[in-house]
Amino acid sequence: MPHFLLISYFLHLIHVFLYIFLQLLYNYCITYYYINLYIAAKESSIMRHLFIINPSSGKGKSLSYIPLIHELFDDKKDQYVIEITKYPGHASEIVGQYIKDEDFFVYAVGGDGTLNEIANILVNTNNALGVIPCGTGNDFIRSFMHSKNYKNILERTVNGKIEVIDTAKANNRYFVNIASIGFDSNVVYNARLFKKKKFIPSSMSYLLSLFYTPFKFKSIPMNITIDNITIKSNNLLFAVCNGSYYGGGIPISPHSSMNDGILDICMVKSCRLFRLLRCLPKALSANHTNIEEVSFYKGNNIHVQSNYEFIVQADGELTTCNDMTFEFYPNSLRILKPQ
């Protein structure tokens, strides 16, 4: 009997110790889980910022933002990285590497070309795009903000709020502002030639090209489809607009909105040189909407074909073809709107 009691006592003791051990193990696991959950929450609340700087934008103006970025983040816990591009296409390569595993606020510190490169990587992702304008035109930010107030633009953008905008494709490449065929794309081409001249200020290159190109350019016969509408016309210009401004501030499509769910099209039919020169000042001040040769349409699927090759510009990026399709993508890009 005493032996039986002794065995029962030890079994009871083992049961008590086992219960205490399992309770401690349970409490440890719960504590470990919540600690890791807390750490993960803290890490996820730390924002990651990626600044892509094009050193050639604004004749080096973009580089002046580097010390300002460091100063801005001195008292922030957010993580930030500064990358400087070295060649065309480098911006998209850099961004593609960074956003593989993590989401970022990505800032295009440069012109509309830098913006276009980065936007082509960020469309339909959870990443957000901020724009620090340093280029010649800076037309996207003007269309987006409907303002030229760039004071403290770095701080205002970093502390801005996310808005979602529409984008579109010109053949296989996205654009966020305006793509066009004809006179204006030739203006962009000639403006780049003028920009290379040391005695011509870069800010004047587009305006100079605007008055030079009419003497060289000839209208283009186009076969156009806008959704279910078919048009055959000799045109000086055919612009597909998500935003309002291009060419350094020309309001070619004054009433366009980047989140209205549709594209605006501005078409200018062929006219005599003298007539064109008289109408150009009206376009600069958004008074061209009532000109006889100017027509406006809306649509989401647009196709342009010609028997002649034409230059296409999309956000200032140039290509040459004779067949172009424009496709609309609603609510496809997250943008940081400056405060």
Side-chain angles (χ1 to χ4, degrees):
M1 190 72 177
H3 289 291
F4 175 74
L5 290 174
L6 189 63
I7 292 170
S8 296
Y9 174 76
F10 275 112
L11 287 175
H12 178 71
L13 198 61
I14 290 170
H15 176 77
V16 170
F17 276 112
L18 186 61
Y19 174 80
I20 293 171
F21 172 76
L22 290 174
Q23 193 69 33
L24 289 172
L25 182 63
Y26 173 78
N27 290 337
Y28 172 80
C29 290
I30 291 295
T31 304
Y32 181 80
Y33 169 78
Y34 280 109
I35 287 173
N36 279 278
L37 196 64
Y38 174 77
I39 292 171
K42 288 287 285 182
E43 287 180 347
S44 64
S45 67
I46 296 174
M47 299 178 182
R48 300 175 181 86
H49 304 261
L50 172 61
F51 293 87
I52 305 296
I53 296 179
N54 181 350
S56 62
S57 292
K59 295 185 177 179
K61 177 186 174 184
S62 55
L63 294 172
S64 68
Y65 276 100
I66 294 177
L68 299 178
I69 294 168
H70 289 306
E71 182 181 343
L72 180 62
F73 282 86
D74 271 348
D75 58 350
K76 290 180 180 287
K77 294 182 179 180
D78 295 357
Q79 300 172 2
Y80 73 99
V81 184
I82 298 172
E83 294 281 1
I84 299 174
T85 60
K86 297 177 180 177
Y87 48 83
H90 195 202
S92 55
E93 291 176 12
I94 295 170
V95 174
Q97 287 297 317
Y98 273 96
I99 68 169
K100 274 184 178 179
D101 304 312
E102 296 176 317
D103 292 332
F104 279 83
F105 293 111
V106 183
Y107 302 86
V109 187
D112 288 334
T114 307
L115 162 67
N116 180 267
E117 269 195 52
I118 296 172
N120 268 269
I121 302 298
L122 299 187
V123 168
N124 292 321
T125 72
N126 289 324
N127 302 276
L129 173 61
V131 182
I132 312 299
C134 299
T136 303
N138 302 319
D139 290 302
F140 168 81
I141 196 69
R142 188 183 278 109
S143 291
F144 183 53
M145 292 174 59
H146 290 282
S147 168
K148 291 172 64 177
N149 178 19
Y150 303 147
K151 186 178 180 180
N152 300 323
I153 191 67
L154 175 64
E155 183 177 0
R156 288 166 55 207
T157 303
V158 170
N159 295 322
K161 292 184 178 180
I162 293 177
E163 288 194 8
V164 182
I165 67 166
D166 307 325
T167 63
K169 260 186 179 179
N171 279 356
N172 296 317
R173 189 166 183 84
Y174 289 102
F175 64 94
V176 293
N177 191 29
I178 294 175
S180 58
I181 300 167
F183 172 74
D184 54 347
S185 55
N186 283 263
V187 170
V188 173
Y189 176 81
N190 291 326
R192 293 189 178 176
L193 297 180
F194 287 125
K195 197 174 178 181
K196 293 177 181 178
K197 308 292 184 182
K198 292 183 179 180
F199 57 90
I200 298 175
S202 60
S203 59
M204 291 295 296
S205 60
Y206 195 93
L207 190 61
L208 185 60
S209 179
L210 192 61
F211 288 95
Y212 165 82
T213 305
F215 294 96
K216 297 288 184 179
F217 178 75
K218 293 182 179 179
S219 62
I220 303 170
M222 299 181 187
N223 300 312
I224 301 162
T225 303
I226 303 172
D227 292 338
N228 296 319
I229 301 171
T230 301
I231 303 166
K232 290 188 177 183
S233 177
N234 282 355
N235 294 328
L236 288 174
L237 182 151
F238 187 86
V240 179
C241 309
N242 190 36
S244 296
Y245 297 89
Y246 74 162
I250 299 172
I252 192 67
S253 184
H255 305 298
S256 288
S257 169
M258 291 186 164
N259 52 12
D260 62 354
I262 200 163
L263 294 170
D264 294 276
I265 298 101
C266 176
M267 188 175 79
V268 181
K269 292 182 179 180
S270 178
C271 62
R272 293 180 180 276
L273 175 61
F274 181 69
R275 171 83 171 155
L276 176 61
L277 292 174
R278 283 187 61 191
C279 292
L280 279 176
K282 291 187 177 183
L284 295 174
S285 56
N287 292 317
H288 61 291
T289 55
N290 295 321
I291 295 174
E292 181 183 349
E293 291 83 3
V294 178
S295 303
F296 286 91
Y297 302 87
K298 290 181 181 289
N300 287 341
N301 291 286
I302 301 128
H303 180 247
V304 179
Q305 185 274 332
S306 177
N307 292 330
Y308 301 89
E309 283 204 332
F310 47 72
I311 298 173
V312 184
Q313 74 81 22
D315 292 343
E317 300 300 295
L318 298 176
T319 187
T320 302
C321 64
N322 68 346
D323 196 296
M324 177 62 68
T325 299
F326 302 95
E327 296 177 278
F328 179 70
Y329 293 84
N331 301 321
S332 50
L333 183 62
R334 290 154 58 87
I335 296 285
L336 274 170
K337 187 170 187 176
Q339 286 184 335

